[in-house]
Every structure is written in C-alpha cells, then in structure tokens.
Amino acid sequence: MLGLTDIPAGPSVEGINMHSQDTVKLLNELIQTSEDGKKGFTEASQEAKKADLKSLFKQRAADCGTAVLELQTLVHSLGGTASDGGTVSGAMHRGWAKVKTAMGDADIAVLESVERAEDKAKAAYQKALTGTLPQQIRLVVQRQHDNAVRNHDIVRNLRDSYKSIKGIHAD
C-alpha cells in the first residue's frame, strides 16, 4: 500500500498535493478504461456463441474488475475520490458492437469489437506511462498495460484464426 510520504510534496489544494491530484486524475481515467473493459468483456461473453470465447471473455471481465479495484485503492491511498464507472464512448462502442454482432458471424464480430476496445485500452495505458508517476504506481500501471497488450494479442490471434477457418482474409 502506498503512503503519502512516497509521493513528492507539491502545492496543496483541499488536503491533496497538486502532484497527487494529477496522479488521481490519471488513475481515474484508467479506472474508466478498465471499467469499460469489464463491461465490454462481460457483454462479449454474452454475445459470443462458442464456449471457449465465452469462458475467455468472462475471465478477462474478472481481470478488468480486479484492475479497477486495484486502481481505486491507489486513488484512495492518495486521498482522492475514485471513479466508479466507464465512459460514454465505451457504452457507445458496446452498442455498436451489438448491432454488428446481429448482422454477421457473432464470434468474429465480437472478437473484432473486443480487439478495437483493447486498442483503446492499450493507448490509454501507454499515455499514462508517458507521465511522471510515483514508482509504486508506475509498476501497477505498467503491469496493467502489459495485461491489456496480452488481451489484445490473444483476441487478435483468435480473430485471425476464426477468420481463417471461415475463409475470410484477416486484417
């Protein structure tokens, strides 16, 4: 668990220093990204037809839920208020994914949708890692980034495999 002594002091506003406020804002953005991932993987598990995909997506939803809790704990340790929801763009993406799933091969459509969402997650974590973060927080963000990259690569490879089986050219 982080202590506030682990974070360099800065000007204080409402009991939390400015450096911590920037870190809290960044962590809250990642919480929203992870919450979008949790919701997206949960919906993907419901839309997928194949049992192996359903199982994979359920596990990834649980992993995203764990990431949310971990990030929220970090925010609280900094004296901040943690976000507890996703984004409007995430909700819109999930809605569009449902439409695409209804119009074609459900498993391929779900895999494509999840891959696009994981592209956004990777980008959010990469952006976070370009900032100045306390070492303990950087380690958590790096690990979660690596998990998002892993998720993306697994989903991309599955999508390509499913397309190959169906005789569809992979992107």
Side-chain angles (χ1 to χ4, degrees), residues 33 93 111-126 145 148-149 151-153 155-156 159:
T33 297
H93 177 79
L111 288 163
E112 288 174 337
S113 175
V114 169
E115 183 188 9
R116 276 191 301 280
E118 287 304 292
D119 282 336
K120 291 179 182 178
K122 282 182 2 181
Y125 276 95
Q126 287 168 344
H145 166 267
V149 169
N151 287 344
H152 173 272
D153 292 350
V155 169
R156 180 201 59 220
R159 181 212 57 201

PDB file of all heavy atoms in Angstrom, residues 33 93 111-126 145 148-149 151-153 155-156 159:
ATOM      1  N   THR A  33     -11.333   3.350 -18.136  1.00  0.00           N
ATOM      2  CA  THR A  33     -10.928   2.458 -19.222  1.00  0.00           C
ATOM      3  C   THR A  33     -11.111   1.001 -18.811  1.00  0.00           C
ATOM      4  O   THR A  33     -11.648   0.187 -19.574  1.00  0.00           O
ATOM      5  CB  THR A  33      -9.455   2.724 -19.595  1.00  0.00           C
ATOM      6  OG1 THR A  33      -9.329   4.062 -20.084  1.00  0.00           O
ATOM      7  CG2 THR A  33      -8.949   1.748 -20.644  1.00  0.00           C
ATOM      8  N   HIS A  93     -19.582   2.255 -27.979  1.00  0.00           N
ATOM      9  CA  HIS A  93     -18.868   1.173 -28.668  1.00  0.00           C
ATOM     10  C   HIS A  93     -19.569  -0.167 -28.431  1.00  0.00           C
ATOM     11  O   HIS A  93     -19.752  -0.950 -29.368  1.00  0.00           O
ATOM     12  CB  HIS A  93     -17.409   1.097 -28.182  1.00  0.00           C
ATOM     13  CG  HIS A  93     -16.644  -0.030 -28.779  1.00  0.00           C
ATOM     14  ND1 HIS A  93     -16.114   0.021 -30.046  1.00  0.00           N
ATOM     15  CD2 HIS A  93     -16.343  -1.258 -28.286  1.00  0.00           C
ATOM     16  CE1 HIS A  93     -15.518  -1.138 -30.310  1.00  0.00           C
ATOM     17  NE2 HIS A  93     -15.640  -1.914 -29.250  1.00  0.00           N
ATOM     18  N   LEU A 111     -15.093 -10.653 -31.553  1.00  0.00           N
ATOM     19  CA  LEU A 111     -13.631 -10.574 -31.493  1.00  0.00           C
ATOM     20  C   LEU A 111     -13.120  -9.265 -32.075  1.00  0.00           C
ATOM     21  O   LEU A 111     -12.221  -8.626 -31.502  1.00  0.00           O
ATOM     22  CB  LEU A 111     -12.998 -11.772 -32.207  1.00  0.00           C
ATOM     23  CG  LEU A 111     -13.118 -13.102 -31.476  1.00  0.00           C
ATOM     24  CD1 LEU A 111     -12.844 -14.271 -32.414  1.00  0.00           C
ATOM     25  CD2 LEU A 111     -12.171 -13.132 -30.277  1.00  0.00           C
ATOM     26  N   GLU A 112     -13.692  -8.839 -33.192  1.00  0.00           N
ATOM     27  CA  GLU A 112     -13.278  -7.564 -33.785  1.00  0.00           C
ATOM     28  C   GLU A 112     -13.587  -6.396 -32.858  1.00  0.00           C
ATOM     29  O   GLU A 112     -12.776  -5.478 -32.702  1.00  0.00           O
ATOM     30  CB  GLU A 112     -13.950  -7.367 -35.152  1.00  0.00           C
ATOM     31  CG  GLU A 112     -13.389  -8.283 -36.223  1.00  0.00           C
ATOM     32  CD  GLU A 112     -14.136  -8.206 -37.541  1.00  0.00           C
ATOM     33  OE1 GLU A 112     -15.328  -7.794 -37.553  1.00  0.00           O
ATOM     34  OE2 GLU A 112     -13.530  -8.574 -38.568  1.00  0.00           O
ATOM     35  N   SER A 113     -14.735  -6.427 -32.254  1.00  0.00           N
ATOM     36  CA  SER A 113     -15.137  -5.359 -31.345  1.00  0.00           C
ATOM     37  C   SER A 113     -14.231  -5.307 -30.117  1.00  0.00           C
ATOM     38  O   SER A 113     -13.787  -4.233 -29.691  1.00  0.00           O
ATOM     39  CB  SER A 113     -16.592  -5.571 -30.925  1.00  0.00           C
ATOM     40  OG  SER A 113     -16.960  -4.626 -29.957  1.00  0.00           O
ATOM     41  N   VAL A 114     -13.953  -6.465 -29.550  1.00  0.00           N
ATOM     42  CA  VAL A 114     -13.096  -6.521 -28.367  1.00  0.00           C
ATOM     43  C   VAL A 114     -11.682  -6.057 -28.722  1.00  0.00           C
ATOM     44  O   VAL A 114     -11.045  -5.335 -27.950  1.00  0.00           O
ATOM     45  CB  VAL A 114     -13.092  -7.944 -27.756  1.00  0.00           C
ATOM     46  CG1 VAL A 114     -12.020  -8.088 -26.697  1.00  0.00           C
ATOM     47  CG2 VAL A 114     -14.460  -8.263 -27.171  1.00  0.00           C
ATOM     48  N   GLU A 115     -11.207  -6.446 -29.899  1.00  0.00           N
ATOM     49  CA  GLU A 115      -9.865  -6.009 -30.295  1.00  0.00           C
ATOM     50  C   GLU A 115      -9.794  -4.489 -30.398  1.00  0.00           C
ATOM     51  O   GLU A 115      -8.836  -3.868 -29.935  1.00  0.00           O
ATOM     52  CB  GLU A 115      -9.433  -6.642 -31.619  1.00  0.00           C
ATOM     53  CG  GLU A 115      -8.011  -6.233 -31.971  1.00  0.00           C
ATOM     54  CD  GLU A 115      -7.558  -6.645 -33.358  1.00  0.00           C
ATOM     55  OE1 GLU A 115      -8.390  -7.110 -34.161  1.00  0.00           O
ATOM     56  OE2 GLU A 115      -6.365  -6.465 -33.631  1.00  0.00           O
ATOM     57  N   ARG A 116     -10.806  -3.870 -30.992  1.00  0.00           N
ATOM     58  CA  ARG A 116     -10.822  -2.397 -31.091  1.00  0.00           C
ATOM     59  C   ARG A 116     -10.835  -1.764 -29.704  1.00  0.00           C
ATOM     60  O   ARG A 116     -10.144  -0.779 -29.447  1.00  0.00           O
ATOM     61  CB  ARG A 116     -12.031  -1.932 -31.904  1.00  0.00           C
ATOM     62  CG  ARG A 116     -11.794  -1.953 -33.398  1.00  0.00           C
ATOM     63  CD  ARG A 116     -12.893  -1.245 -34.164  1.00  0.00           C
ATOM     64  NE  ARG A 116     -14.216  -1.817 -33.933  1.00  0.00           N
ATOM     65  CZ  ARG A 116     -14.669  -2.918 -34.525  1.00  0.00           C
ATOM     66  NH1 ARG A 116     -13.930  -3.565 -35.379  1.00  0.00           N
ATOM     67  NH2 ARG A 116     -15.884  -3.362 -34.261  1.00  0.00           N
ATOM     68  N   ALA A 117     -11.604  -2.330 -28.800  1.00  0.00           N
ATOM     69  CA  ALA A 117     -11.659  -1.802 -27.437  1.00  0.00           C
ATOM     70  C   ALA A 117     -10.308  -1.963 -26.745  1.00  0.00           C
ATOM     71  O   ALA A 117      -9.871  -1.062 -26.008  1.00  0.00           O
ATOM     72  CB  ALA A 117     -12.757  -2.510 -26.649  1.00  0.00           C
ATOM     73  N   GLU A 118      -9.641  -3.068 -26.981  1.00  0.00           N
ATOM     74  CA  GLU A 118      -8.323  -3.277 -26.369  1.00  0.00           C
ATOM     75  C   GLU A 118      -7.273  -2.343 -26.978  1.00  0.00           C
ATOM     76  O   GLU A 118      -6.316  -1.965 -26.309  1.00  0.00           O
ATOM     77  CB  GLU A 118      -7.898  -4.737 -26.467  1.00  0.00           C
ATOM     78  CG  GLU A 118      -8.664  -5.644 -25.522  1.00  0.00           C
ATOM     79  CD  GLU A 118      -8.568  -5.194 -24.079  1.00  0.00           C
ATOM     80  OE1 GLU A 118      -7.486  -5.254 -23.475  1.00  0.00           O
ATOM     81  OE2 GLU A 118      -9.610  -4.759 -23.531  1.00  0.00           O
ATOM     82  N   ASP A 119      -7.462  -1.956 -28.246  1.00  0.00           N
ATOM     83  CA  ASP A 119      -6.582  -0.927 -28.830  1.00  0.00           C
ATOM     84  C   ASP A 119      -6.679   0.364 -28.014  1.00  0.00           C
ATOM     85  O   ASP A 119      -5.668   1.011 -27.720  1.00  0.00           O
ATOM     86  CB  ASP A 119      -6.975  -0.620 -30.284  1.00  0.00           C
ATOM     87  CG  ASP A 119      -6.501  -1.671 -31.273  1.00  0.00           C
ATOM     88  OD1 ASP A 119      -5.526  -2.387 -30.976  1.00  0.00           O
ATOM     89  OD2 ASP A 119      -7.120  -1.766 -32.360  1.00  0.00           O
ATOM     90  N   LYS A 120      -7.902   0.726 -27.646  1.00  0.00           N
ATOM     91  CA  LYS A 120      -8.113   1.945 -26.854  1.00  0.00           C
ATOM     92  C   LYS A 120      -7.513   1.798 -25.458  1.00  0.00           C
ATOM     93  O   LYS A 120      -6.928   2.736 -24.928  1.00  0.00           O
ATOM     94  CB  LYS A 120      -9.603   2.276 -26.773  1.00  0.00           C
ATOM     95  CG  LYS A 120     -10.171   2.728 -28.103  1.00  0.00           C
ATOM     96  CD  LYS A 120     -11.639   3.032 -28.015  1.00  0.00           C
ATOM     97  CE  LYS A 120     -12.156   3.424 -29.388  1.00  0.00           C
ATOM     98  NZ  LYS A 120     -13.583   3.691 -29.384  1.00  0.00           N
ATOM     99  N   ALA A 121      -7.650   0.632 -24.873  1.00  0.00           N
ATOM    100  CA  ALA A 121      -7.077   0.398 -23.539  1.00  0.00           C
ATOM    101  C   ALA A 121      -5.551   0.501 -23.591  1.00  0.00           C
ATOM    102  O   ALA A 121      -4.940   1.141 -22.729  1.00  0.00           O
ATOM    103  CB  ALA A 121      -7.512  -0.962 -23.002  1.00  0.00           C
ATOM    104  N   LYS A 122      -4.958  -0.138 -24.597  1.00  0.00           N
ATOM    105  CA  LYS A 122      -3.501  -0.055 -24.738  1.00  0.00           C
ATOM    106  C   LYS A 122      -3.054   1.398 -24.852  1.00  0.00           C
ATOM    107  O   LYS A 122      -2.088   1.811 -24.204  1.00  0.00           O
ATOM    108  CB  LYS A 122      -3.034  -0.815 -25.995  1.00  0.00           C
ATOM    109  CG  LYS A 122      -2.972  -2.285 -25.847  1.00  0.00           C
ATOM    110  CD  LYS A 122      -2.469  -3.039 -27.069  1.00  0.00           C
ATOM    111  CE  LYS A 122      -2.055  -2.268 -28.270  1.00  0.00           C
ATOM    112  NZ  LYS A 122      -1.608  -3.070 -29.402  1.00  0.00           N
ATOM    113  N   ALA A 123      -3.755   2.161 -25.666  1.00  0.00           N
ATOM    114  CA  ALA A 123      -3.391   3.573 -25.868  1.00  0.00           C
ATOM    115  C   ALA A 123      -3.526   4.365 -24.569  1.00  0.00           C
ATOM    116  O   ALA A 123      -2.672   5.207 -24.257  1.00  0.00           O
ATOM    117  CB  ALA A 123      -4.255   4.188 -26.962  1.00  0.00           C
ATOM    118  N   ALA A 124      -4.580   4.107 -23.802  1.00  0.00           N
ATOM    119  CA  ALA A 124      -4.776   4.826 -22.536  1.00  0.00           C
ATOM    120  C   ALA A 124      -3.641   4.521 -21.567  1.00  0.00           C
ATOM    121  O   ALA A 124      -3.110   5.424 -20.903  1.00  0.00           O
ATOM    122  CB  ALA A 124      -6.124   4.448 -21.920  1.00  0.00           C
ATOM    123  N   TYR A 125      -3.252   3.265 -21.483  1.00  0.00           N
ATOM    124  CA  TYR A 125      -2.160   2.894 -20.578  1.00  0.00           C
ATOM    125  C   TYR A 125      -0.820   3.424 -21.079  1.00  0.00           C
ATOM    126  O   TYR A 125       0.018   3.871 -20.288  1.00  0.00           O
ATOM    127  CB  TYR A 125      -2.117   1.379 -20.375  1.00  0.00           C
ATOM    128  CG  TYR A 125      -3.082   0.921 -19.306  1.00  0.00           C
ATOM    129  CD1 TYR A 125      -4.349   0.462 -19.629  1.00  0.00           C
ATOM    130  CD2 TYR A 125      -2.722   0.967 -17.965  1.00  0.00           C
ATOM    131  CE1 TYR A 125      -5.243   0.065 -18.647  1.00  0.00           C
ATOM    132  CE2 TYR A 125      -3.606   0.568 -16.966  1.00  0.00           C
ATOM    133  CZ  TYR A 125      -4.858   0.122 -17.317  1.00  0.00           C
ATOM    134  OH  TYR A 125      -5.735  -0.262 -16.332  1.00  0.00           O
ATOM    135  N   GLN A 126      -0.596   3.392 -22.395  1.00  0.00           N
ATOM    136  CA  GLN A 126       0.654   3.935 -22.945  1.00  0.00           C
ATOM    137  C   GLN A 126       0.760   5.425 -22.648  1.00  0.00           C
ATOM    138  O   GLN A 126       1.823   5.911 -22.258  1.00  0.00           O
ATOM    139  CB  GLN A 126       0.736   3.669 -24.450  1.00  0.00           C
ATOM    140  CG  GLN A 126       1.011   2.217 -24.758  1.00  0.00           C
ATOM    141  CD  GLN A 126       0.815   1.858 -26.222  1.00  0.00           C
ATOM    142  OE1 GLN A 126       0.191   2.586 -26.994  1.00  0.00           O
ATOM    143  NE2 GLN A 126       1.332   0.703 -26.607  1.00  0.00           N
ATOM    144  N   HIS A 145      -0.905  -2.333 -18.115  1.00  0.00           N
ATOM    145  CA  HIS A 145      -0.657  -2.096 -19.546  1.00  0.00           C
ATOM    146  C   HIS A 145      -0.273  -3.413 -20.225  1.00  0.00           C
ATOM    147  O   HIS A 145      -0.795  -3.754 -21.289  1.00  0.00           O
ATOM    148  CB  HIS A 145       0.452  -1.053 -19.732  1.00  0.00           C
ATOM    149  CG  HIS A 145       0.989  -1.000 -21.127  1.00  0.00           C
ATOM    150  ND1 HIS A 145       2.084  -1.736 -21.524  1.00  0.00           N
ATOM    151  CD2 HIS A 145       0.573  -0.321 -22.222  1.00  0.00           C
ATOM    152  CE1 HIS A 145       2.326  -1.502 -22.805  1.00  0.00           C
ATOM    153  NE2 HIS A 145       1.424  -0.651 -23.252  1.00  0.00           N
ATOM    154  N   ALA A 148      -3.218  -5.513 -20.794  1.00  0.00           N
ATOM    155  CA  ALA A 148      -4.037  -5.025 -21.912  1.00  0.00           C
ATOM    156  C   ALA A 148      -3.413  -5.447 -23.247  1.00  0.00           C
ATOM    157  O   ALA A 148      -4.133  -5.857 -24.168  1.00  0.00           O
ATOM    158  CB  ALA A 148      -4.193  -3.508 -21.843  1.00  0.00           C
ATOM    159  N   VAL A 149      -2.093  -5.367 -23.345  1.00  0.00           N
ATOM    160  CA  VAL A 149      -1.405  -5.807 -24.567  1.00  0.00           C
ATOM    161  C   VAL A 149      -1.623  -7.305 -24.767  1.00  0.00           C
ATOM    162  O   VAL A 149      -1.928  -7.758 -25.874  1.00  0.00           O
ATOM    163  CB  VAL A 149       0.103  -5.467 -24.506  1.00  0.00           C
ATOM    164  CG1 VAL A 149       0.878  -6.139 -25.638  1.00  0.00           C
ATOM    165  CG2 VAL A 149       0.311  -3.953 -24.531  1.00  0.00           C
ATOM    166  N   ASN A 151      -4.143  -9.123 -23.615  1.00  0.00           N
ATOM    167  CA  ASN A 151      -5.538  -9.309 -24.017  1.00  0.00           C
ATOM    168  C   ASN A 151      -5.707  -9.020 -25.500  1.00  0.00           C
ATOM    169  O   ASN A 151      -6.347  -9.785 -26.227  1.00  0.00           O
ATOM    170  CB  ASN A 151      -6.469  -8.391 -23.221  1.00  0.00           C
ATOM    171  CG  ASN A 151      -6.650  -8.834 -21.794  1.00  0.00           C
ATOM    172  OD1 ASN A 151      -6.354  -9.954 -21.424  1.00  0.00           O
ATOM    173  ND2 ASN A 151      -7.143  -7.917 -20.976  1.00  0.00           N
ATOM    174  N   HIS A 152      -5.163  -7.906 -25.932  1.00  0.00           N
ATOM    175  CA  HIS A 152      -5.275  -7.506 -27.339  1.00  0.00           C
ATOM    176  C   HIS A 152      -4.703  -8.587 -28.253  1.00  0.00           C
ATOM    177  O   HIS A 152      -5.334  -8.989 -29.236  1.00  0.00           O
ATOM    178  CB  HIS A 152      -4.559  -6.183 -27.580  1.00  0.00           C
ATOM    179  CG  HIS A 152      -4.494  -5.820 -29.020  1.00  0.00           C
ATOM    180  ND1 HIS A 152      -3.472  -6.244 -29.839  1.00  0.00           N
ATOM    181  CD2 HIS A 152      -5.344  -5.102 -29.799  1.00  0.00           C
ATOM    182  CE1 HIS A 152      -3.693  -5.793 -31.060  1.00  0.00           C
ATOM    183  NE2 HIS A 152      -4.811  -5.097 -31.068  1.00  0.00           N
ATOM    184  N   ASP A 153      -3.507  -9.053 -27.934  1.00  0.00           N
ATOM    185  CA  ASP A 153      -2.841 -10.018 -28.802  1.00  0.00           C
ATOM    186  C   ASP A 153      -3.582 -11.352 -28.840  1.00  0.00           C
ATOM    187  O   ASP A 153      -3.708 -11.968 -29.900  1.00  0.00           O
ATOM    188  CB  ASP A 153      -1.389 -10.217 -28.360  1.00  0.00           C
ATOM    189  CG  ASP A 153      -0.541  -8.969 -28.589  1.00  0.00           C
ATOM    190  OD1 ASP A 153      -1.007  -8.014 -29.263  1.00  0.00           O
ATOM    191  OD2 ASP A 153       0.602  -8.946 -28.078  1.00  0.00           O
ATOM    192  N   VAL A 155      -6.828 -11.796 -28.384  1.00  0.00           N
ATOM    193  CA  VAL A 155      -8.064 -11.576 -29.142  1.00  0.00           C
ATOM    194  C   VAL A 155      -7.764 -11.438 -30.631  1.00  0.00           C
ATOM    195  O   VAL A 155      -8.459 -12.016 -31.469  1.00  0.00           O
ATOM    196  CB  VAL A 155      -8.827 -10.353 -28.582  1.00  0.00           C
ATOM    197  CG1 VAL A 155      -9.962  -9.944 -29.498  1.00  0.00           C
ATOM    198  CG2 VAL A 155      -9.355 -10.664 -27.191  1.00  0.00           C
ATOM    199  N   ARG A 156      -6.716 -10.693 -30.977  1.00  0.00           N
ATOM    200  CA  ARG A 156      -6.338 -10.537 -32.392  1.00  0.00           C
ATOM    201  C   ARG A 156      -6.028 -11.897 -33.009  1.00  0.00           C
ATOM    202  O   ARG A 156      -6.485 -12.208 -34.117  1.00  0.00           O
ATOM    203  CB  ARG A 156      -5.124  -9.614 -32.519  1.00  0.00           C
ATOM    204  CG  ARG A 156      -4.679  -9.403 -33.973  1.00  0.00           C
ATOM    205  CD  ARG A 156      -3.253  -8.932 -34.092  1.00  0.00           C
ATOM    206  NE  ARG A 156      -2.364  -9.899 -33.468  1.00  0.00           N
ATOM    207  CZ  ARG A 156      -1.307  -9.583 -32.723  1.00  0.00           C
ATOM    208  NH1 ARG A 156      -0.985  -8.331 -32.496  1.00  0.00           N
ATOM    209  NH2 ARG A 156      -0.561 -10.526 -32.199  1.00  0.00           N
ATOM    210  N   ARG A 159      -9.206 -13.853 -33.445  1.00  0.00           N
ATOM    211  CA  ARG A 159      -9.967 -13.311 -34.574  1.00  0.00           C
ATOM    212  C   ARG A 159      -9.391 -13.808 -35.891  1.00  0.00           C
ATOM    213  O   ARG A 159     -10.115 -14.272 -36.770  1.00  0.00           O
ATOM    214  CB  ARG A 159      -9.931 -11.781 -34.538  1.00  0.00           C
ATOM    215  CG  ARG A 159     -10.732 -11.152 -35.687  1.00  0.00           C
ATOM    216  CD  ARG A 159     -10.172  -9.842 -36.174  1.00  0.00           C
ATOM    217  NE  ARG A 159      -8.793  -9.993 -36.609  1.00  0.00           N
ATOM    218  CZ  ARG A 159      -7.953  -8.988 -36.699  1.00  0.00           C
ATOM    219  NH1 ARG A 159      -8.304  -7.774 -36.355  1.00  0.00           N
ATOM    220  NH2 ARG A 159      -6.716  -9.187 -37.120  1.00  0.00           N
TER     221      ARG A 159
END
